[in-house]
Amino acid sequence: MQLTKKIFTIPQIIYFLFAILIIIFLFTNLFTNPVEVSSIEFIGEATLPKGLIFNKAEIGGLSGITYDPKSNLYYAISDDRGQKANAHFYTMKIDLSKGYLQKGGVFPVSVTTLLNENSQTFRPGETDTEGIALTNKASVFISSEGDAGKLINPFIKEFSLSSGREIKTLPIPNKFLPDKSSKKGIRNNLAFESLTITPDKKHLFTATENALIQDGVAAKPNIGSPCRILQYNLLNNQPEKEFLYQTEPVSPFLNLIGKFASGLPDLLALDNQGHFLSLERSFTGLGFAISLFQVSLEGADDIHKIDSLLTVDSKNIKPVQKKMLLDLRKLDVLLDNIEGLTLGSKLPDGQQSLILVSDNNFNSLQRTQILAFKIKIETPLIRLLRRLLANLNR
């Protein structure tokens, strides 16, 4: 008893409890708090020549992009439905060695044709490939929107980087599939535009560009649309969760032609805890409105058991959290149809680059545009140390 008293004196117990509290605080803050993009800086634009032919394929329709830091190469998916060439993706180099993107700093390297499970090319109109995400197995996942009008289902498939051959197909929940009644499933050309994989390669995410038919309206002027984020577990290749993502209402400005489109074309996972960048793109009648958001799944409700949002009180559903990061209309750049984003190479000063690409729709009036940014991504640990240093310098 006396030995116990000598070892565990009251001050020592207080210090021990204090240490435990510090450990709990550090754990809850360093491992559960989100990473944050604390700054973003535009560092250049490049455009590819219109009608550029490379390896017998016209370069265009860039709807998604992903980056391999090991090879310093980018892979960009084309949404060509087989009209210009067979379904394919491009391998590209983007030169940021000077700390910014020069006008001629993007170079095509190769074109890879996609092959189905039977090593055959996909038939024209069979695919509408929009999203692409790199794995750690020399392969990419690619999403296709399908064609709701022709009852062609969307898909998410894994393809070999070297051969382009299909490796596997992920199952799509029934609520996303179109049917003859046109009362459920994806809307045509408003399906799986986005695709991203977490850094630990354990989870894949995609999202509908607009609401499923049974979930609500498509985006209209001054009205957003309730999209679904779909989470897959890549350890068993099964869908496991869904989340509500509400796009921003957009006000057209001088919409003389009467056309309007708005939605969620891409997501980018920043960590393994459900924090992303999202890209929202709108055509407002007078050019494009492009916005970047920071997104968090923290506190968002899992809605995968809800087949129709119209059958429940959506006010009781907690959507994902969003925070505006950048309205690209504030840049001194004529924006095109930006649809894809990826973290790119590290810049000479050690900072992280962010790359955005546009889909020119193979339209002579549009451009294949690549935009580069320098971003500072702070982890909870870095934020904590920065705040401690700031307090010490006061």
Side-chain angles (χ1 to χ4, degrees):
M1 190 69 179
Q2 290 179 345
L3 181 61
T4 303
K5 288 181 180 180
K6 288 181 181 179
I7 295 176
F8 294 103
T9 62
I10 291 179
Q12 288 174 326
I13 292 174
I14 293 174
Y15 294 147
F16 178 75
L17 293 175
F18 185 67
I20 293 296
L21 290 174
I22 290 177
I23 292 171
I24 293 172
F25 171 80
L26 290 174
F27 179 84
T28 56
N29 281 272
L30 301 186
F31 297 100
T32 64
N33 281 5
V35 296
E36 288 184 4
V37 177
S38 57
S39 67
I40 181 167
E41 175 188 350
F42 178 59
I43 57 170
E45 170 195 18
T47 56
L48 295 178
K50 294 181 180 180
L52 175 62
I53 303 296
F54 185 82
N55 285 4
K56 299 181 180 181
E58 181 176 340
I59 295 183
L62 305 189
S63 295
I65 187 168
T66 189
Y67 174 65
D68 183 0
K70 293 181 180 179
S71 62
N72 194 28
L73 292 173
Y74 295 80
Y75 304 100
I77 187 68
S78 174
D79 67 356
D80 180 4
R81 298 190 182 197
Q83 306 306 312
K84 299 285 184 178
N86 291 317
H88 58 278
F89 66 85
Y90 310 99
T91 302
M92 311 174 79
K93 288 186 177 181
I94 300 178
D95 184 7
L96 299 175
S97 60
K98 294 185 178 181
Y100 60 91
L101 177 61
Q102 301 179 84
K103 291 184 178 180
V106 179
F107 313 93
V109 174
S110 63
V111 178
T112 303
T113 298
L114 299 180
L115 304 175
N116 62 22
E117 59 186 351
N118 298 317
S119 296
Q120 302 295 315
T121 58
F122 289 89
R123 298 187 302 273
E126 187 179 0
T127 66
D128 181 13
T129 46
E130 300 280 358
I132 185 168
L134 183 71
T135 74
N136 57 357
K137 299 179 292 184
S139 64
V140 287
F141 277 97
I142 291 174
S143 62
S144 169
E145 290 192 295
D147 190 324
K150 297 179 181 179
L151 298 182
I152 297 176
N153 290 335
F155 69 63
I156 302 171
K157 295 177 181 289
E158 185 181 5
F159 295 89
S160 165
L161 275 178
S162 58
S163 68
R165 182 175 177 177
E166 178 183 330
I167 298 172
K168 70 164 68 85
T169 300
L170 300 184
I172 306 295
N174 185 62
K175 67 170 73 71
F176 292 89
L177 304 181
D179 69 358
K180 294 180 180 179
S181 70
S182 297
K183 293 182 179 180
K184 66 171 281 290
I186 56 168
R187 286 182 159 90
N188 200 43
N189 208 33
L190 294 173
F192 296 152
E193 282 261 359
S194 58
L195 204 64
T196 187
I197 296 176
T198 53
D200 63 7
K201 307 302 181 184
K202 292 182 180 180
H203 291 94
L204 176 146
F205 292 84
T206 187
T208 56
E209 188 178 358
N210 267 209
L212 298 177
I213 293 173
Q214 70 270 26
D215 280 345
V217 300
K220 299 178 180 179
N222 302 305
I223 298 176
S225 187
C227 306
R228 286 187 188 240
I229 294 176
L230 176 55
Q231 174 182 322
Y232 282 86
N233 185 334
L234 291 181
L235 299 180
N236 59 18
N237 297 315
Q238 294 298 311
E240 57 182 6
K241 294 181 181 179
E242 296 169 23
F243 305 94
L244 174 62
Y245 181 108
Q246 186 71 40
T247 65
E248 296 299 301
V250 176
S251 300
F253 178 68
L254 294 178
N255 192 348
L256 302 178
I257 62 175
K259 292 186 177 181
F260 180 86
S262 186
L264 171 65
D266 214 356
L267 288 170
L268 175 62
L270 294 176
D271 61 15
N272 305 318
Q273 285 79 42
H275 304 111
F276 303 83
L277 292 182
S278 71
L279 181 67
E280 293 191 26
R281 177 275 323 270
S282 303
F283 178 71
T284 64
L286 190 66
F288 292 92
I290 313 294
S291 298
L292 275 173
F293 293 86
Q294 296 185 72
V295 177
S296 174
L297 302 183
E298 184 178 355
D301 290 328
D302 179 5
I303 59 172
H304 82 276
K305 293 184 178 180
I306 302 175
D307 288 334
S308 169
L309 295 178
L310 294 178
T311 62
V312 299
D313 187 353
S314 59
K315 294 180 180 179
N316 294 327
I317 297 176
K318 293 181 181 178
V320 302
Q321 302 174 46
K322 293 169 54 183
K323 183 175 72 172
M324 172 76 81
L325 179 63
L326 177 66
D327 182 344
L328 273 68
R329 289 176 295 184
K330 296 180 180 179
L331 302 176
D332 187 21
V333 174
L334 179 62
L335 297 172
D336 212 288
N337 183 33
I338 301 294
E339 289 195 357
L341 79 164
T342 186
L343 295 178
S345 61
K346 289 294 180 68
L347 299 168
D349 63 1
Q351 296 297 321
Q352 177 66 60
S353 69
L354 176 72
I355 300 294
L356 277 62
V357 297
S358 76
D359 174 3
N360 69 348
N361 294 305
F362 296 97
N363 184 333
S364 61
L365 299 178
Q366 292 183 253
R367 298 164 298 149
T368 297
Q369 181 182 50
I370 298 92
L371 303 178
F373 298 84
K374 177 194 294 189
I375 62 173
K376 182 178 290 186
I377 302 176
E378 290 190 335
T379 64
L381 177 59
I382 292 176
R383 285 204 308 276
L384 179 62
L385 293 175
R386 178 170 56 80
R387 290 168 184 169
L388 288 174
L389 289 173
N391 290 330
L392 291 174
N393 292 329
R394 285 180 181 178

